[in-house]
């Protein structure tokens, strides 16, 4: 059973940075994608960024494009999300997820509907941004 463990969340001021990590217990097959989701109380979990572990291609939500950067370290089985220029509206619980993606990454991994595309999930890490 593949397990995911997130780390790196915390409390920061607006404009600050954080680096979130998602470590997989095993090496995902080449045709897997990994993604970050976030959720605030009372709202649906939404996909914000995804990466194909095979070729490193990425997709981002418009709300994070240019501020969030995904990377994948295959030898460490770890996906990293570098978050810069944090805004109050980035406050949320952040979850990583993975599943097979024979079609590669695309816009279908962004938004609320993307949750149904992933089977394996981490426990989440909280990001809180204050002014």
């Amino acid at each position: 059973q593949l397990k995911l463990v997130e780390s790196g969340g915390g409390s920061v001021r607006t404009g600050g940075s954080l680096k979130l990590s998602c470590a997989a217990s095993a090496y995902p097959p080449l045709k897997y994608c990994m993604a970050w989701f976030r959720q605030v109380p009372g709202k649906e979990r939404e996909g914000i960024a995804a990466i194909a572990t095979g070729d490193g291609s990425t997709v981002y939500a418009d709300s994070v494009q240019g501020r969030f950067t995904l990377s994948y370290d295959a030898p460490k089985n770890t996906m990293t999300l570098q978050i810069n220029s944090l805004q109050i509206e980035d406050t949320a619980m952040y979850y990583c997820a993975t599943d097979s993606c024979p079609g590669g990454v695309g816009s279908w991994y962004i938004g609320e509907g993307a949750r149904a595309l992933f089977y394996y999930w981490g426990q989440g890490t909280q990001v809180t941004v204050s002014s």
Side-chain angles (χ1 to χ4, degrees):
Q1 179 78 2
L2 183 64
K3 294 183 179 180
L4 303 175
V5 178
E6 301 100 333
S7 61
S11 297
V12 296
R13 301 281 191 180
T14 54
S17 299
L18 283 174
K19 181 180 289 187
L20 306 185
S21 294
C22 174
S25 61
Y27 180 64
L30 288 177
K31 293 296 185 182
Y32 264 56
C33 289
M34 299 185 76
W36 284 98
F37 286 70
R38 65 185 182 187
Q39 187 172 21
V40 297
K43 292 191 175 182
E44 295 294 323
R45 191 174 299 183
E46 62 173 356
I48 57 171
I51 186 168
T53 61
D55 63 11
S57 56
T58 56
V59 63
Y60 298 92
D62 290 343
S63 58
V64 307
Q65 182 77 49
R67 299 188 298 120
F68 289 23
T69 304
L70 266 178
S71 60
Y72 179 69
D73 186 337
K76 295 182 179 180
N77 301 339
T78 298
M79 172 179 63
T80 299
L81 183 67
Q82 177 67 45
I83 308 175
N84 297 325
S85 303
L86 276 159
Q87 304 167 2
I88 291 178
E89 50 266 35
D90 293 320
T91 295
M93 183 70 81
Y94 284 70
Y95 299 89
C96 70
T98 190
D99 210 327
S100 61
C101 59
V105 291
S107 59
W108 50 91
Y109 286 125
I110 303 301
E112 295 178 0
R115 182 174 184 174
L117 300 174
F118 291 89
Y119 180 79
Y120 300 100
W121 291 86
Q123 81 288 351
T125 186
Q126 178 68 38
V127 172
T128 302
V129 185
S130 59
S131 59

